[in-house]
Amino acid sequence: MSSSNSRREAVSRRHRPAVLTAVAALAVAGAAAVPVPASAAGGAAGAATTLQQDFAAAADAYHVPRQVLLAVAYQESAWDTHAGAYSADGGYGPMHLTDVTPAMMAGGGAGAAGRGELAKLAADPALHTLQAAAELTGLSAAELRSDPSANIRGGAALLASYQKAATGAVSADPGNWYAAVARYSQSGRRQGAAAFAGRVFATVKAGAARTTADGERVRLAADSGVRPDTGQLAGLHLKAAVTADTECPATVACTFVPAAASNGQVSNRPANGIRIDSIVIHDTETSYDAAVNYFQQPKGTAAHYVMRSSDGAVTQMVPTKDLAFQAGNYSTNMHSIGIEHEGYAAHGGTWYTEAQYEATAELVRYLADRFGIPLDRQHILGHDNVAGPNSSLVSGMHWDPGPSWDWNHFMSLLGVHTGWHGVGPVGSVVTIAPRFHENLQTVQICPSDDPTGATTACTETQQPSNFVYLRTEPSDTAPLFGDQALHPGAAGTDRINDWGATAAAGQQFVVADQDGDWTAVWYGGSKVWFYNPHGCNTAPAHGVKVISAAGTAPVAVYGSSYPDAAEYPAGLSPSTQAPLSMYTVPAGQAYVATVAPSLTQDFFASSGAVVTGAKAMYTIQYNHRVALVYASDVTASDVTATDG
C-alpha cells in the first residue's frame, strides 16, 4: 500500500487507530498452570532440544494432539521463531502469541499516537494471548516472547484452555479440537474462525514439512483420517459477517466493506471493453483493521481486497468491475486488481503467514480464471514491479511487498513452477529462481523504512530474500548497478528500498553473457551481472516472446498505455504520455514479453466512455519493473523449450 518513505510516514500518521481483529474476550477457564521443567522451557539445566521435540513435549504436557499443535503453528508462522520479533498484529514466536502495547499502537500500524483511548485500546484482553499463556504456564512474558520452546508451551496451554471451555475436557481425538482451533484464530467473525480452522485441519490431513528460517527441519505426518467436528463452531457464539456482495472463492472467508467513493472509480470492467489483465500484490505497512479503516476514508487510495495475516481472512473493499486507486499508475489501475496484505516490508518474512499465502493463492486463482489473467510475473505483480507513469514519478514508486515476499512459494501455490535450475546459452531466456530460505542477502534498513518504530538506526541485516543483486561486472567487488532513475551516474546500494539493483524471483530476462560463475542479462538498457554458479539462481524459460529494436535506433520505453490524441472522440480530453526519459531499449539488446501486445485504452468515469486506440503495446520485463513499448517499434520472436 505505502512503501515509499513519504507515503509510509503519511499513512502511519493518518491512520485512525484500530483495535486488532480478535475474538471477543473470553475468560480462560478450566486450566491451571502446569509446572515447566527448566529444560523444556529452554533453561540451562537441560540439553538443547529441536523444535520437533519442543512441539512433542508441549503437546504431551497439555494433552493436545501433536498434529493439531503442529498444524496451528504451521498456519500461524510456518514454524519460524522470528527471534523474538513481533508481527503485524503483535504476535510472537511459532505460536503467534500476541502482546500488544500502547507503544505498538501509537508508533506502529494503528497510528493511534496522541489519542485519549490509546491505553484502553491496547488493554483489550483479546490482544494479549501471551499474557494469558503466561498465567497458564507460569512462564514469564519475556520467555514466551524470546524462547521458542516456551512459546510453543504457551500455545499448547492456550489450546488446552480453549478446548476445556468449549467441550469440558481435553480429547485424544484431533477432530474434537475444532472449536479450540477456531478460537485460537482470535477471529471475531464466524467465517474467519471457520476458515482458519479449515486450513489447520487441511494441514493435519495433508501433512507438511519444511526447513525453518533458522535451519531446523520440522515435519507433520499426514493424517487423512481426521474428521473435524465442525458443529462445535456454533458453541463459540461468533457473529456472522455479511458476504452478499463479495467476489471470492467459496474457500476464502470474505466480507465486504466499501471503500470511500473518492478512492476509486465506478466502471463496468470487463463488460465495457476494459480488460483486466493483471493482479498487484501489496502490503499494508499497518495492521489489517487500520488498512480497512483507512480505505473507508476519502484519502484517494484503496485496494480491491485486504488480506489478514493471522488467518488469511479477506475484506473486499472495491468491486472488481471498478477501478481501485491502488498501484500509483492510472493505466495499471485501469487493467488490474489490487490485493493488500497485512504486513511490513522491512521486517523480513515474519508477516507473511502460510494462511495468508494460501488464501491469497486461492483468491488469485479465482480471479485469474474469471478474467483470463496470465499466471506469470508480468501479470502477477508486486507493487514494486509496477511501472512509473511518467519520468518524474519513477523514482518514488513503491517497493512493497518487498524482498521477503516468497514469490517462488506463492507462484507454486498457483501451480506455476520454475522447473529445473540451470542457465542456457547467450540469447536464451532465464527465470530468476533463487531458493528463498537459502538465498540470504544483506540489506540496510533505516528508520524511515519501518513504520513500526522498531528500527531506531540504519542497520545492516541478512535475511532470506526473493532477489539476486545485480552488478556492473562479474565480480562480487564490482559496484551494484545504479538504476538511472534512482542513481543517475552512480552505483546502486543495498538499502532495502533500493529496487534498482535487484532481479526478483519469477522475473525473466535474456542472457547477454556468461563468465564462470556469473551470468549477465539485459536489464534496464544495460548489461548487468549476478552470481549464478551452475545456474543455481535461474531456470531456463520457454513459451515467451523476446522483443528487440526493429531498427538501429533505441526504442522508447513507456510507463502507461493511452491512445493517441487524435483517437479520442470530440468532447473527451485526451490523456497524454511521453517516453520515460531515462530508459530505452538499445539496439542489440532483447527483453521478454510473455503475451501478445494489447491495444491502448483510456476511461472516463464521468460518462463511462472507454476509448480504445489502434496501436498495440507490449508489456515487457524491463528492469525490476515492467514497462511498455509500441509493437511497431520492435520485432518479436518466440522462445521455445529447446532455446534453454
Side-chain angles (χ1 to χ4, degrees):
M1 176 171 68
S2 54
S3 288
S4 67
N5 293 341
S6 60
R7 284 291 295 149
R8 280 169 179 251
E9 293 164 358
V11 170
S12 179
R13 288 194 304 267
R14 286 154 47 188
H15 270 318
R16 292 168 56 188
V19 178
L20 303 176
T21 303
V23 70
L26 294 170
V28 176
V34 174
V36 183
S39 59
T49 60
T50 66
L51 278 179
Q52 192 86 48
Q53 291 170 327
D54 290 337
F55 278 112
D60 292 347
Y62 290 94
H63 308 290
V64 181
R66 293 184 182 185
Q67 60 266 60
V68 171
L69 185 63
L70 279 161
V72 168
Y74 183 75
Q75 286 297 322
E76 290 285 11
S77 67
W79 300 323
D80 283 331
T81 63
H82 306 322
Y86 58 85
S87 68
D89 46 359
Y92 292 85
M95 298 306 300
H96 196 262
L97 301 177
T98 58
D99 194 21
V100 176
T101 67
M104 289 180 196
M105 301 193 82
R115 296 190 63 91
E117 72 272 32
L118 178 59
K120 180 179 179 181
L121 290 173
D124 185 339
L127 307 182
H128 297 280
T129 61
L130 187 141
Q131 297 296 338
E135 294 180 12
L136 289 167
T137 61
L139 294 165
S140 70
E143 288 175 293
L144 291 167
R145 291 189 189 98
S146 60
D147 185 337
S149 178
N151 186 275
I152 292 167
R153 293 185 73 88
L158 276 179
L159 275 169
S161 72
Y162 296 161
Q163 173 70 8
K164 292 174 183 178
T167 68
V170 294
S171 171
D173 177 6
N176 196 39
W177 286 71
Y178 187 87
V181 170
R183 184 176 168 189
Y184 197 96
S185 73
Q186 308 303 320
S187 177
R189 297 291 187 181
R190 187 183 307 154
Q191 290 93 332
F196 178 78
R199 293 187 190 285
V200 167
F201 281 99
T203 302
V204 169
K205 291 180 179 182
R210 72 178 291 263
T211 300
T212 70
D214 295 328
E216 288 210 47
R217 188 68 177 171
V218 182
R219 181 175 181 271
L220 168 60
D223 189 349
S224 60
V226 170
R227 297 291 181 266
D229 183 0
T230 58
Q232 292 180 352
L233 187 64
L236 296 181
H237 305 293
L238 300 174
K239 294 181 179 179
V242 177
T243 59
D245 297 318
T246 60
E247 300 167 275
C248 294
T251 53
V252 172
C254 194
T255 60
F256 188 88
V257 177
S262 63
N263 297 348
Q265 290 178 329
V266 175
S267 185
N268 193 25
R269 307 181 307 169
N272 60 1
I274 297 177
R275 67 185 181 277
I276 300 175
D277 63 11
S278 57
I279 293 171
V280 181
I281 302 294
H282 306 252
D283 78 38
T284 61
E285 295 300 305
T286 186
S287 73
Y288 174 82
D289 282 350
V292 171
N293 288 347
Y294 185 79
F295 290 157
Q296 293 178 77
Q297 302 173 61
K299 301 294 186 181
T301 183
H304 291 88
Y305 299 91
V306 184
M307 312 292 293
R308 190 161 60 204
S309 174
S310 60
D311 59 0
V314 188
T315 295
Q316 183 177 1
M317 304 202 70
V318 179
T320 59
K321 72 180 184 64
D322 296 339
L323 279 66
F325 292 163
Q326 42 92 18
N329 182 324
Y330 187 91
S331 192
T332 302
N333 289 336
M334 192 161 44
H335 301 298
S336 68
I337 292 170
I339 305 177
E340 288 276 3
H341 294 77
E342 181 181 30
Y344 295 90
H347 281 209
T350 58
W351 308 107
Y352 307 133
T353 64
E354 187 63 19
Q356 197 177 47
Y357 277 124
E358 291 185 12
T360 302
E362 291 175 18
L363 177 60
V364 168
R365 283 198 304 268
Y366 161 83
L367 295 170
D369 288 345
R370 181 177 169 192
F371 297 113
I373 299 170
L375 291 176
D376 62 55
R377 287 281 282 110
Q378 287 182 23
H379 297 88
I380 310 299
L381 301 167
H383 199 178
D384 54 333
N385 306 137
V386 174
N390 62 39
S391 299
S392 66
L393 297 175
V394 171
S395 63
M397 293 295 287
H398 297 175
W399 59 276
D400 60 302
S404 295
W405 179 264
D406 189 347
W407 279 110
N408 283 340
H409 177 53
F410 180 66
M411 296 303 288
S412 72
L413 291 173
L414 298 179
V416 179
H417 303 278
T418 54
W420 57 274
H421 281 73
V423 58
V426 171
S428 66
V429 174
V430 290
T431 301
I432 305 298
R435 295 175 174 89
F436 181 77
H437 289 289
E438 299 173 16
N439 184 43
L440 301 180
Q441 299 288 4
T442 298
V443 295
Q444 183 187 66
I445 303 174
C446 291
S448 58
D449 302 320
D450 182 4
T452 69
T455 303
T456 58
C458 291
T459 305
E460 295 276 350
T461 185
Q462 191 178 69
Q463 61 188 35
S465 301
N466 61 24
F467 70 90
V468 293
Y469 275 122
L470 305 172
R471 298 187 180 273
T472 56
E473 299 291 341
S475 168
D476 57 11
T477 61
L480 291 170
F481 174 70
D483 181 86
Q484 302 91 313
L486 299 177
H487 307 287
T493 72
D494 65 358
R495 181 78 176 267
I496 194 170
N497 63 4
D498 189 348
W499 46 266
T502 63
Q507 295 180 325
Q508 296 178 321
F509 300 96
V510 177
V511 177
D513 203 351
Q514 297 185 52
D515 186 342
D517 290 337
W518 292 77
T519 299
V521 294
W522 300 119
Y523 179 97
S526 299
K527 184 167 77 171
V528 298
W529 296 85
F530 60 95
Y531 188 60
N532 192 30
H534 307 292
C536 69
N537 289 319
T538 55
H542 56 87
V544 299
K545 291 183 179 295
V546 170
I547 65 95
S548 56
T552 59
V555 172
V557 173
Y558 294 82
S560 56
S561 178
Y562 297 124
D564 290 348
E567 295 178 303
Y568 287 78
L572 296 179
S573 298
S575 296
T576 60
Q577 63 185 22
L580 300 177
S581 60
M582 68 287 293
Y583 298 140
T584 64
V585 173
Q589 295 188 11
Y591 293 83
V592 174
T594 57
V595 299
S598 298
L599 296 176
T600 58
Q601 281 192 320
D602 206 350
F603 174 63
F604 294 84
S606 58
S607 63
V610 177
V611 180
T612 301
K615 295 181 179 179
M617 301 186 82
Y618 279 106
T619 297
I620 63 170
Q621 185 64 66
Y622 181 69
N623 50 18
H624 187 87
R625 303 183 183 278
V626 297
L628 295 136
V629 295
Y630 282 105
S632 58
D633 290 343
V634 300
T635 59
S637 58
D638 293 325
V639 172
T640 64
T642 57
D643 292 323

